[in-house]
Amino acid sequence: MHPQVNPPSLAEQAYRFVRDRLVMLDIPPGSPLNEEELGTTLGMGRTPIREALKRLESERLVVAYPRRGTFATDVNISDLAHISEVRRTLEPMATAAAAGRATEADRAALAELRAQLDVGVPGRDNAELLRTDLALHRAIYRCVHNPFLEDTLIRYDNLATRIWCVFVPRLSGMAGHVDEHVPLLTAIIEGDAEKAAALTLEHVTGFEAAIRALI
């Protein structure tokens, strides 16, 4: 019998909706966020919207100014080195932990994701590839079974993805970057912590190098 999972609160629903639109730059950097409009879109009052925006501010996705309102943060390429430093440190440790801690259900879920990558979708556009990249990372982070580390990993992956989104029109080989997850998923599924860590470091370093090549 599976444990009952409570549905996400209104604030959590608002947070996830706005977060992913900010991460994918569907809400462009510098744009204002109107609480009333968001409430109308999501069919909820202002209180959960405000709670969500406060959380997003703590994650550097929005910034609030007194008497002016709340705005999507700018994407600063100068943040790349700082974000990459954190990810180079945490991500290999996390995927090594995932290789050791993933449950049978986790490994089955990762195997399903790997199968989808193996099949591939001809003509995948960059926005779809970026969403796939986000989903893969979040699936891996869940396998760490450490909610504090998972939250931190998601936060920095979100910030890195915003940088991807700025440069993706000029990037080539985005599909290859996403497909790099196939051997990584295999390493985690097979419980090979050392290989998972090495592949992750290569993946994160490759992201930074690809962006720097365009600066």
Side-chain angles (χ1 to χ4, degrees):
M1 195 171 169
H2 295 289
Q4 185 175 359
V5 178
N6 293 325
S9 66
L10 290 178
E12 179 70 18
Q13 292 175 46
Y15 163 77
R16 293 178 187 179
F17 174 81
V18 180
R19 177 196 65 186
D20 288 347
R21 293 191 69 209
L22 289 163
V23 169
M24 294 299 299
L25 306 190
D26 294 330
I27 299 175
S31 297
L33 284 88
N34 184 289
E35 292 178 8
E36 189 173 349
E37 286 180 7
L38 287 171
T40 300
T41 299
L42 293 169
M44 59 182 70
R46 285 195 175 188
T47 299
I49 301 294
R50 285 176 181 163
E51 288 179 27
L53 292 179
K54 283 181 182 177
R55 186 172 167 189
L56 291 163
E57 185 175 16
S58 74
E59 296 180 4
R60 300 177 183 266
L61 291 173
V62 304
V63 59
Y65 298 104
R67 296 178 297 280
R68 283 184 57 200
T70 301
F71 299 81
T73 53
D74 290 329
V75 178
N76 295 314
I77 194 60
S78 58
D79 292 336
L80 177 63
H82 301 306
I83 293 168
S84 296
E85 182 178 24
V86 175
R87 295 184 73 216
R88 283 195 306 271
T89 302
L90 293 184
E91 297 248 358
M93 177 184 71
T95 51
R101 299 174 188 170
T103 64
E104 286 305 311
D106 291 334
R107 295 179 202 279
L110 295 184
E112 187 174 335
L113 289 170
R114 182 180 60 183
Q116 291 170 12
L117 287 177
D118 280 337
V119 171
V121 180
R124 291 176 294 179
D125 64 27
N126 283 333
E128 182 184 353
L129 288 165
L130 282 167
R131 288 189 181 91
T132 300
D133 191 68
L134 273 177
L136 287 164
H137 288 190
R138 290 173 186 176
I140 291 169
Y141 301 156
R142 281 193 292 273
C143 297
V144 179
H145 294 285
N146 178 334
F148 298 98
L149 182 54
E150 182 181 355
D151 285 349
T152 303
L153 292 164
I154 289 173
R155 176 183 299 197
Y156 285 96
D157 189 44
N158 287 341
L159 295 174
T161 301
R162 294 186 91 219
I163 295 174
W164 262 132
C165 287
V166 169
F167 286 92
V168 81
R170 295 162 54 195
L171 281 169
S172 60
M174 187 66 203
H177 175 82
V178 173
D179 291 339
E180 284 176 9
H181 290 90
V182 171
L184 173 56
L185 291 170
T186 298
I188 295 171
I189 292 164
E190 294 179 352
D192 191 336
E194 186 176 341
K195 187 172 183 181
L199 288 169
T200 301
L201 181 59
E202 187 179 324
H203 184 71
V204 172
T205 305
F207 159 76
E208 184 178 11
I211 299 297
R212 289 201 178 281
L214 297 175
I215 298 174

